[in-house]
Amino acid sequence: MERSDGAGEGELETPQRGYTDATEQFAAMNEVLLALGRSASDPDSALDTIVDSARRLCRSDAAHVYLINGDRFVLSSWVGVPDEVVAYIAAHPFRLDRASLVGRVATDRQMQQIDDVLADAEYGRQDAQKVGHYRTVISAPMLLDDEVVGVISLWRTEVAPFDAHARTALEAFATQAAVVVRQVHLVRALEDRSVELARKVDQLEALSEVGEAVSSSLVLDEVLTTIIMNAVRFAGCDGGSIMEYVEHERAFTVRSAYASDRLLERLRGIKVDLDTTLVGRAARERHPIAVADLDDVELDIHLRLLHEDGWRSMVAVPVLRGDRIVGALVVRRRTPGDFSADTMDFLENFASQSALAVWNAQLFRELETKSAELEIASRHKSEFLASMSHELRTPLNAVIGFSEVLLERMFGELNDRQDEYLRDILGSGRHLLQLLNDILDLSKVEAGRMELEPSTFSLRSALEYGASMVRERAARHGIRLSVDVEADLDTVESDELRVKQVLVNLLSNAVKFTPDGGSVTVTARGSEHEIAVAVADTGIGIAPADRERIFESFQQGRRGLQSEEGTGLGLTLCRRIVAILGGTMRLESEVGVGSTFGFTIPRRVPIAMPEADDEAGRPMIVLVEDDRASLDLTSAYLDGLGVDVVIARDGDEGLSAIRRHVPAAVLLDIRLPRTDGWEVLRRVRADDATAAVPVIVVSIVDERARGLAMGASAYLVKPVRRDALVGALRDVGALAGAVAASPGAEEAP
C-alpha cells in the first residue's frame, strides 16, 4: 500500500519534490546543528530536536530513541507516541534480541526496515503493536566508537515503506543522536566529577578546620571537639565521639562527643579496653571496623552503652601516628545500615590527618604540666637562693670586717705570714660576696623580678665610670685602657645602674684575660633609636666551641686557669640584663688575637606607664577573644602598660562592652562564637557612638585587606609579638603620649 503523500518506494520523484525534500532536509539539519551547539548545556533538548526533525523529514507518524541499558532498551526521547504507548513500553521494554526491530538493528549493527510488522513471521512484539497500532517500522543503530549505544526508530501506522531519502536521513540522524548521547555521557561524567570535587572540597574544608583549630588553640578538648564535629558532619552520621589512648592503662578514655551530651557522661565513666573491645580491635588491626546493626553483634562495654542509648550502627576508626596509637574516632547513626567504601576511606584519611592535631595537643598539655612544675621548682630555687644568700651575708660580713680590722693593725702588728693569710681570707670573702650578689641578681632575672629603674644619664660618664673601676688593675699589668665615644652621643634613657653593671663586668673580663702590655678599648656609637657599645681586648681569644658556653652560668670557657678569679656568672648576667633592657649581645673573637664583647640597647627602654591614682584616668582596652591561651598571652602583653582591660569572650559580649565603655582601643579576634569579628567591626563602625574607637584586629585569619577596608585601625596576624601589639596601641593613641593613627593604618613592624 502506498501513502497518499507519495512517500512510498514506487513514487516517481519530480524536480519540484526533490527541491522540496532538499529544502526540508537542509532546514532540519540546521535545527539539529543548532541543537547540537546547545547540547553541552541541554543534551536532552538536543535529542528531542533530532527526534522531531527525523519525524518531519522522514514523514513518519512517530519517532523515538532507545538507549541500551544492560540487556534491554530504555525509551529516552519520543514524538508522536501516545502516552499509553510510552507507559506500556516502559513497563514492557524491548530487549536486546531479535523479537523486535530495535533488537535486530542493535545486534546486526545496521539499519533495517519491516514493511509490515503484521506480515513479518519473526516479529515477536505483537503486544506492543496492538497498543501502538504501527505497521511499517524502520530503525538505525546509534554507533559511538564502534559501539551500539542506542537505536533511533520511526513508524507509520499504515503500510508505507520509507524511501531511500528517508533511510539516508535517518542514518544521519542516528549519527547525530550518537553524538548527543556522547555529550550526555560527558555531561553526566562532568556532573559526577563535580559532585566528587565538591565532596573533596568539603573534606578539605573539614581538614582545614582541624588545622585552624590546632593553629589557634592547643587546648586538647577544643581540638578534639572540632575533629569529631567535622567527622560526623562529613560522614553523614548522627553523632560521634573521640577517644584518647592512655598507654600505661592499655585503654581508651572518651574525651569529646558530638550530638551526645547525655551519653558523654556515661562514656567518660568507662575504660574502653584495647584487648576486649571493638574500638581496641580496630586500633590493634590498624584499620576501621564498621557495624551495620548493633543488634547483630556481641556487645562489649562500649557498644552496650551505645545500644542502650538508641544507636544502631557505628564505625570505629583508629587514630595512629606512625606505630603509636594516639586515640580512636567513632561515628554513629540512629538507623541500621552499611557504611559506603567512600565514607570508610574518608574517615580513615580524616583520622590520619587528625592524628597530628591530637598528638600536638597532647604534647602541649604535657608541656603545660612540665612548665607548671618547672615554674614551681624555679620559684623554690629563687626563694632558697635568696634565703641562703641573706643567711650567708651575716657571717660573711664578719669575715670581711674582722679581716680588714686586723690588716689595719688595730690590735697590734702582724708577721708576714699572718698578713698574707689575712689578705687571702679578705680576698676570698669579697669574692664570695660578689658571687652571692651575682646569684641573687640572676635569680631575680630568672624569676622575672628584676625591676628596671629608668633615668636619663650621660653614656660617656657611665663608660668613664666603668673604666675607672678597672684602671688600677690595668695599670699594674701595663694594659692600655681607652674610651672612644661618638662626639654627638650624649644622653640615653635607661637603667643607669644596670648599664654600669654590664660595662664593669665586660671591662673586668677584658682586663683579666689580656696579657701584660696589651690593650682594652671601649667604643660607643649611636643612631636615632639605639646605641651600640663594644669592649675590645688583645687577649688570648675564645675558641669557637666555647663562644656560646661562656654565657652559661659558672662557665669561663678555656680562657684561663681554673683558679682564675671570677664567679662565672658575669657574662650570664650581662646577657640577661641586656635582654631586659630591650637589647642584644654579640661576641667576635679570634684565638691569639683578642675578643670583642658588644651590646646594643634602645636609646629609650620601653617603660610601663605608672598606674594612675584615679582609675578613671587610665586608658580602657576591650579585649574580645574566646581562646584561653590567647587571652592569657595578650593579657600578659598588656600587663604593666597602665591600662584597664575588659575581657569579652564572644562577639555579642564584645559589642556590649564597647558600647558601654567606649574604650581607648579594641583588640578584636575574628573567629568568635555567636557574632564573629567581621560583624562586630561592621557594627562598631556603623554606630555613631563607637565609630571613632580604634579597632585592632588580632587574629589567625589573614585577611588584612578586608579588615582595613572595613575600618580596622591595624591588622595583626597571630602569632603576634609584644612589641608589635604595643606599637599598634601606641599608633592608634591608646597609650599615653602616643599619636593616633588614622583608621586603616598598617600594624607596627
Side-chain angles (χ1 to χ4, degrees):
M1 181 184 294
E2 294 184 359
R3 290 171 60 93
S4 61
D5 61 3
E9 292 280 3
E11 180 186 15
L12 294 175
E13 184 173 328
T14 65
Q16 179 63 34
R17 176 59 188 274
Y19 174 78
T20 302
D21 287 348
T23 301
E24 290 178 350
Q25 186 171 355
F26 176 80
M29 292 302 175
N30 187 54
E31 286 182 15
V32 171
L33 289 174
L34 291 174
L36 288 175
R38 298 190 301 269
S39 65
S41 59
D42 190 4
D44 292 333
S45 175
L47 207 57
D48 292 342
T49 300
I50 292 173
V51 171
D52 185 62
S53 298
R55 179 200 183 196
R56 285 189 291 103
L57 189 62
C58 298
R59 294 177 174 81
S60 67
D61 295 312
H64 27 103
V65 168
Y66 296 91
L67 300 180
I68 295 176
N69 183 12
D71 64 344
R72 65 186 61 193
F73 292 90
V74 176
L75 184 59
S76 176
S77 183
W78 63 90
V79 62
V81 182
D83 291 343
E84 61 271 17
V85 178
V86 173
Y88 185 84
I89 293 175
H92 306 84
F94 295 115
R95 294 189 175 275
L96 198 61
D97 55 29
R98 305 195 69 80
S100 66
L101 183 61
V102 292
R104 296 178 198 177
V105 166
T107 303
D108 297 340
R109 304 167 64 84
Q110 62 181 7
M111 183 171 62
Q112 298 181 39
Q113 177 174 227
I114 299 177
D115 292 348
D116 186 353
V117 294
L118 295 181
D120 190 322
E122 293 185 23
Y123 193 77
R125 289 304 305 269
Q126 301 298 337
D127 60 320
Q129 191 278 333
K130 289 180 181 179
V131 177
H133 306 293
Y134 52 85
R135 298 293 294 273
T136 298
V137 182
I138 187 172
S139 300
M142 295 159 49
L143 292 169
L144 189 61
D145 293 333
D146 204 33
E147 177 187 357
V148 179
V149 296
V151 173
I152 183 169
S153 185
L154 308 174
W155 79 42
R156 287 172 176 163
T157 56
E158 299 176 0
V159 177
F162 293 89
D163 62 15
H165 288 293
R167 290 195 296 270
T168 301
L170 183 61
E171 199 165 36
F173 284 126
T175 301
Q176 293 163 348
V179 172
V180 174
V181 171
R182 177 190 290 275
Q183 198 72 19
V184 170
H185 290 169
L186 291 174
V187 169
R188 288 175 180 170
L190 181 60
E191 289 175 347
D192 291 342
R193 292 297 299 274
S194 298
V195 170
E196 175 67 13
L197 180 60
R199 189 180 63 82
K200 293 294 184 184
V201 169
D202 287 343
Q203 293 180 3
L204 288 174
E205 287 179 351
L207 295 175
S208 176
E209 284 196 30
V210 173
E212 287 187 15
V214 177
S215 301
S216 61
S217 173
L218 287 174
V219 179
L220 182 58
D221 287 340
E222 293 180 4
V223 175
L224 297 183
T225 299
T226 301
I227 291 172
I228 190 59
M229 179 183 68
N230 283 285
V232 169
R233 180 165 42 136
F234 289 101
C237 293
D238 304 313
S241 55
I242 190 164
M243 305 178 183
E244 182 184 7
Y245 182 62
V246 183
E247 191 167 3
H248 68 275
E249 295 181 0
R250 288 183 63 80
F252 298 85
T253 59
V254 177
R255 293 298 303 265
S256 184
Y258 179 71
S260 309
D261 293 339
R262 182 182 63 180
L263 179 62
L264 178 59
E265 293 304 317
R266 298 184 66 193
L267 289 174
R268 282 179 170 170
I270 65 171
K271 295 291 184 183
V272 182
D273 189 73
L274 179 67
D275 301 310
T276 61
T277 63
L278 183 86
V279 171
R281 178 184 154 205
R284 295 196 313 273
E285 297 179 3
R286 311 182 72 79
H287 65 79
I289 298 178
V291 177
D293 194 337
L294 289 175
D295 287 341
D296 299 335
V297 298
E298 184 179 349
L299 302 178
D300 57 43
I301 185 172
H302 170 243
L303 298 182
R304 186 178 302 110
L305 284 182
L306 300 186
H307 190 265
E308 291 172 356
D309 198 55
W311 300 93
R312 293 295 303 278
S313 56
M314 56 85 69
V315 179
V317 189
V319 179
L320 308 169
R321 179 163 172 78
D323 296 331
R324 185 164 182 170
I325 301 171
V326 176
L329 188 68
V330 176
V331 294
R332 308 183 292 270
R333 291 193 304 225
R334 294 285 185 185
T335 56
D338 293 324
F339 292 84
S340 68
D342 185 62
T343 297
M344 299 288 281
D345 289 342
F346 164 71
L347 288 172
E348 190 168 19
N349 291 332
F350 191 81
S352 176
Q353 294 294 325
S354 301
L356 179 61
V358 178
W359 179 255
N360 286 344
Q362 286 178 337
L363 291 179
F364 181 73
R365 185 181 60 188
E366 293 176 8
L367 179 61
E368 282 187 320
T369 302
K370 294 296 183 184
S371 297
E373 293 173 353
L374 287 173
E375 184 178 351
I376 294 172
S378 177
R379 185 171 67 251
H380 289 167
K381 182 195 73 173
S382 298
E383 292 171 354
F384 170 78
L385 289 175
S387 175
M388 290 303 299
S389 297
H390 288 300
E391 291 296 327
L392 289 172
R393 283 177 182 276
T394 300
L396 189 57
N397 182 62
V399 170
I400 294 173
F402 288 138
S403 298
E404 290 175 341
V405 166
L406 292 174
L407 285 170
E408 290 177 3
R409 273 46 173 198
M410 294 180 64
F411 299 103
E413 287 297 325
L414 304 172
N415 59 40
D416 293 341
R417 180 160 294 184
Q418 289 172 330
D419 185 278
E420 179 184 353
Y421 288 171
L422 280 172
R423 292 189 183 279
D424 287 343
I425 293 171
L426 179 59
S428 297
R430 287 174 173 168
H431 181 260
L432 181 57
L433 180 61
Q434 182 60 45
L435 177 61
L436 290 175
N437 289 335
D438 287 348
I439 288 175
L440 279 175
D441 282 344
L442 188 59
S443 66
K444 288 180 182 179
V445 171
E446 290 178 342
R449 292 186 291 104
M450 177 172 278
E451 297 180 0
L452 298 181
E453 297 181 5
S455 63
T456 301
F457 62 94
S458 167
L459 181 63
R460 182 183 299 274
S461 297
L463 295 177
E464 291 290 354
Y465 168 82
S468 69
M469 297 298 292
V470 299
R471 184 166 281 116
E472 180 183 351
R473 176 170 181 170
R476 288 202 308 268
H477 294 276
I479 297 172
R480 297 183 302 280
L481 183 62
S482 59
V483 177
D484 177 16
V485 183
E486 200 171 49
D488 58 350
L489 183 56
D490 187 14
T491 60
V492 296
E493 184 180 324
S494 191
D495 188 319
E496 183 178 7
L497 176 63
R498 297 305 175 187
V499 171
K500 288 180 177 179
Q501 184 177 357
V502 172
L503 286 169
V504 171
N505 265 316
L506 295 181
L507 283 165
S508 297
N509 278 349
V511 172
K512 184 191 308 180
F513 294 107
T514 298
D516 293 357
S519 65
V520 173
T521 303
V522 185
T523 59
R525 300 290 182 264
S527 65
E528 181 181 357
H529 300 292
E530 62 184 18
I531 59 170
V533 177
V535 177
D537 63 55
T538 57
I540 59 178
I542 304 167
D546 290 330
R547 289 177 189 171
E548 183 60 31
R549 193 161 66 92
I550 62 172
F551 287 99
E552 298 175 7
S553 301
F554 306 105
Q555 298 291 333
Q556 293 181 340
R558 288 184 280 273
R559 291 201 291 167
L561 300 174
Q562 291 296 320
S563 59
E564 186 73 61
E565 67 178 78
T567 65
L569 293 173
L571 289 176
T572 305
L573 267 174
C574 285
R575 185 155 70 173
R576 302 285 182 87
I577 291 172
V578 167
I580 292 175
L581 293 173
T584 57
M585 280 198 70
R586 64 181 177 86
L587 166 61
E588 298 173 3
S589 185
E590 185 177 347
V591 176
V593 177
S595 304
T596 299
F597 287 86
F599 63 90
T600 302
I601 59 174
R603 294 194 74 149
R604 275 191 180 83
V605 174
I607 304 163
M609 294 186 302
E611 294 187 1
D613 293 334
D614 180 9
E615 291 204 359
R618 292 161 58 97
M620 173 76 71
I621 306 294
V622 171
L623 172 57
V624 190
E625 174 66 73
D626 69 315
D627 180 61
R628 184 185 59 79
S630 297
L631 272 174
D632 292 345
L633 181 61
T634 307
S635 298
Y637 283 173
L638 298 174
D639 188 33
L641 291 177
V643 298
D644 290 330
V645 180
V646 174
I647 294 174
R649 297 181 181 274
D650 61 50
D652 291 348
E653 189 179 331
L655 281 168
S656 176
I658 294 168
R659 290 164 179 161
R660 184 168 62 254
H661 297 288
V662 190
V666 176
L667 299 178
L668 176 66
D669 189 18
I670 293 298
R671 295 170 58 87
L672 295 170
R674 299 168 71 184
T675 301
D676 68 13
W678 298 123
E679 181 62 16
V680 172
L681 180 57
R682 187 191 68 78
R683 293 187 192 178
V684 168
R685 288 289 173 257
D687 189 338
D688 291 340
T690 60
V693 174
V695 177
I696 301 171
V697 175
V698 184
S699 178
I700 195 170
V701 178
D702 190 0
E703 294 191 35
R704 180 173 310 168
R706 178 183 178 185
L708 298 179
M710 290 181 66
S713 303
Y715 200 108
L716 307 177
V717 180
K718 296 177 181 176
V720 177
R721 304 188 314 274
R722 182 180 186 275
D723 57 347
L725 183 66
V726 174
L729 287 170
R730 289 190 185 279
D731 287 344
V732 301
L735 301 182
V739 179
S742 60
E746 293 287 347
E747 75 271 15

